[in-house]
Amino acid sequence: MSDISIENESGIVYVTLNRPEKRNALTFDMFEGLLEAQLAIADDSNANVVILKGAGASFCSGLDIMSVMKDPTQVPKLLTRIPDSDCTLVQQIAFGWQNLKIPVIAALQGHVYGAGFQIAMGADLRIAAPDTVFGVKEIQWGLIPDMSISLTLPELCARDQLMDWVLTGRDISLEEAQANHLVTRVHDDPLTAANELARSILERSPDAIRAAKHLLSGYPDRTRSENLQVEAQLQQQLIGKPNQLAAVQAKVSKQSAKFAPPHIHLL
């Protein structure tokens, strides 16, 4: 995958935007590469946590406009709905992280602009370096953000604040991002912090981890009654099963648990 790398290290899958000389600005090939990465992770039974990161000084500075202008015939492909999906290609590479069964952590630094901003908002957790600056930049090109921001951001911040960012395209400081719940944690070394968080997740039952993400990711689309039902049904699948018993044994003995592969059925 051109300028996108994917590597599974003992259950932690690293997806890296690897074009540091261009601040990881996205090309057509990188859009395709991110989609391929999501599909590969979804099929990897040994994947338990994803860390999404950018090589170099920035996470992602947005779309590489000059690259796109070299072959504008590719643009309709980006905006075409993927078969058997509600998403276009550009929406999928941002919102697709939400659809994975396992947690996704974004390690952020430097510029998190435009397309990069929307990809980061698709992660479940975001750890940012002190130098991180955010921005919804599409308005500067006469466009709107079209990578699922209408789904991910209203869960995090107020509508008027989102309108401010979208209509002005101004920079969003780390302090403002924190105040509006765009950042989970701040750390001098976000990748190290992401690794520590991922390893702590790996110490927990893989069934419970998947159930928790499914429960918390789906609530906006469920009624109150449906959400309570899903919560109860997921818990019924966990109680008394091998991985839940292994978690109890590990807690009591104060030793590391030995978990079996996950077997939970997500509703």
Side-chain angles (χ1 to χ4, degrees):
M1 294 179 286
S2 178
D3 296 322
I4 301 293
S5 66
I6 177 171
E7 185 177 5
N8 188 331
E9 294 185 7
S10 302
I12 302 175
V13 182
Y14 297 88
V15 178
T16 306
L17 284 65
N18 196 17
R19 200 177 176 226
E21 73 282 1
K22 295 292 185 179
R23 297 185 298 178
N24 298 315
L26 296 172
T27 63
F28 288 122
D29 286 346
M30 292 174 75
F31 279 97
E32 293 282 1
L34 286 168
L35 177 59
E36 291 174 19
Q38 290 177 356
L39 294 173
I41 293 167
D43 289 337
D44 186 354
S45 60
N46 294 316
N48 289 305
V49 186
V50 176
I51 294 180
L52 185 59
K53 61 190 181 75
S58 288
F59 174 72
C60 177
S61 60
L63 182 66
D64 186 335
I65 295 294
M66 298 307 295
S67 174
V68 171
M69 290 177 64
K70 290 179 181 178
D71 189 6
T73 62
Q74 294 284 339
V75 172
K77 185 177 180 180
L78 298 178
L79 302 178
T80 299
R81 182 172 294 180
I82 296 171
D84 301 319
S85 172
D86 294 331
C87 294
T88 64
L89 174 58
V90 294
Q91 291 167 339
Q92 178 66 30
I93 69 162
F95 196 73
W97 307 109
Q98 300 262 322
N99 291 332
L100 291 177
K101 296 178 182 179
I102 58 178
V104 179
I105 306 166
L108 308 174
Q109 76 282 350
H111 300 90
V112 184
Y113 282 168
F117 177 86
Q118 294 177 83
I119 291 170
M121 294 304 111
D124 300 300
L125 301 152
R126 287 165 293 279
I127 302 177
D131 70 344
T132 308
V133 59
F134 302 84
V136 189
K137 299 296 183 179
E138 284 76 7
I139 197 72
Q140 297 180 354
W141 302 94
L143 300 170
I144 61 170
D146 63 345
M147 294 172 61
S148 77
I149 195 174
S150 60
L151 292 179
T152 56
L153 262 292
E155 292 186 22
L156 301 174
C157 64
R159 178 179 178 273
D160 63 336
Q161 188 62 74
L162 178 55
M163 288 285 285
D164 177 0
W165 298 333
V166 170
L167 296 178
T168 65
R170 64 177 177 82
D171 281 358
I172 305 165
S173 69
L174 179 61
E175 292 73 21
E176 186 176 2
Q178 286 182 276
N180 286 281
H181 313 293
L182 306 185
V183 173
T184 310
R185 300 181 187 176
V186 176
H187 195 279
D188 288 339
D189 186 342
L191 182 55
T192 293
N195 282 322
E196 292 174 352
L197 177 56
R199 285 193 292 270
S200 71
I201 291 172
L202 290 180
E203 295 175 356
R204 309 304 177 188
S205 162
D207 285 312
I209 293 297
R210 285 159 174 76
K213 174 161 180 175
H214 183 71
L215 175 65
L216 298 178
S217 297
Y219 75 88
D221 300 321
R222 304 186 193 114
T223 65
R224 176 178 178 272
S225 177
E226 288 170 341
N227 212 65
L228 292 173
Q229 184 179 14
V230 169
E231 184 179 272
Q233 289 175 342
L234 290 170
Q235 192 74 305
Q236 288 167 4
Q237 289 192 63
L238 296 173
I239 292 177
K241 299 302 189 294
N243 280 338
Q244 193 263 327
L245 297 177
V248 172
Q249 177 62 30
K251 180 68 173 176
V252 172
S253 66
K254 298 182 180 180
Q255 296 181 5
S256 297
K258 294 181 179 180
F259 293 116
H263 287 95
I264 193 164
H265 173 64
L266 300 178
L267 308 169

